[in-house]
Amino acid sequence: MNEAFMRKAIELSIDNVKNGGGPFGAVIVRGDDIIATGVNRVTANNDPTAHAEVSAIRAACEKLGTFNLEGCEIYTSCEPCPMCLGAIYWAHLDRMYYANTKHDAADIGFDDSFIYEEIALTPDKRRLVSRELLRDEALQAFRDWTAKTDKTEY
């Protein structure tokens, strides 16, 4: 745990508000080195996935030439939303440190609780209408993947 890295994430979040972005910043480190940073550019880039953590993960993966960030840690100015938390797990980061809580974020209008609640529901109970379609045809890709001998597991 390194407070300097968290201070950098917080500084990024503060500067990003001044630069037209959301109040979120993230830093990915390996050992004592900053590998990548990210800030929230959702409205600036018209990209709902341009959260600080996702942006930092993308930059770190590109810099290191890998999709697996084992050996790295993330410092983020706020407890991640469900999308970012999922990305952090998929990236295999070793540890996560955050400053503001999801409750602090909710207090200023960034309330992700409805997503957590929706995820817990079966698809037929969610607000987003969703129906299974052409599953039998789509299973071919899964059969092909299972049979593939030279695949890269992730």
Side-chain angles (χ1 to χ4, degrees):
M1 186 166 31
N2 185 320
E3 290 181 359
F5 293 139
M6 184 58 76
R7 284 191 179 94
K8 178 65 175 175
I10 293 167
E11 175 188 331
L12 288 167
S13 71
I14 293 168
D15 289 345
N16 197 50
V17 171
K18 296 173 187 171
N19 293 317
F24 305 98
V27 176
I28 294 179
V29 302
R30 185 168 57 189
D32 294 328
D33 299 319
I34 293 177
I35 302 300
T37 63
V39 293
N40 181 290
R41 303 302 291 168
V42 170
T43 58
N45 294 357
N46 294 318
D47 179 354
T49 68
H51 290 205
E53 298 89 343
V54 170
S55 297
I57 288 168
R58 289 175 179 159
C61 289
E62 185 174 340
K63 180 174 183 177
L64 297 176
T66 183
F67 57 85
N68 187 324
L69 296 178
E70 287 180 41
C72 297
E73 301 175 340
I74 188 166
Y75 290 79
T76 180
S77 65
C78 187
E79 187 176 359
C81 74
M83 176 183 69
C84 292
L85 186 58
I88 289 165
Y89 275 105
W90 278 113
H92 301 284
L93 287 153
D94 290 354
R95 287 184 183 78
M96 173 182 69
Y97 303 98
Y98 60 90
N100 293 317
T101 68
K102 63 183 178 183
H103 305 292
D104 296 327
D107 288 344
I108 63 163
F110 293 92
D111 188 354
D112 300 323
S113 61
F114 78 96
I115 298 174
Y116 283 107
E117 292 165 6
E118 288 283 303
I119 289 171
L121 299 173
T122 58
D124 63 309
K125 302 278 193 251
R126 294 179 185 152
R127 283 189 266 173
L128 177 64
V129 176
S130 58
R131 300 287 183 262
E132 185 179 297
L133 181 64
L134 299 178
R135 178 174 177 258
D136 291 339
E137 291 180 34
L139 284 171
Q140 184 60 49
F142 285 12
R143 288 190 290 273
D144 292 349
W145 174 259
T146 301
K148 189 173 175 63
T149 59
D150 62 342
K151 63 186 167 221
T152 302
E153 299 281 349
Y154 62 97

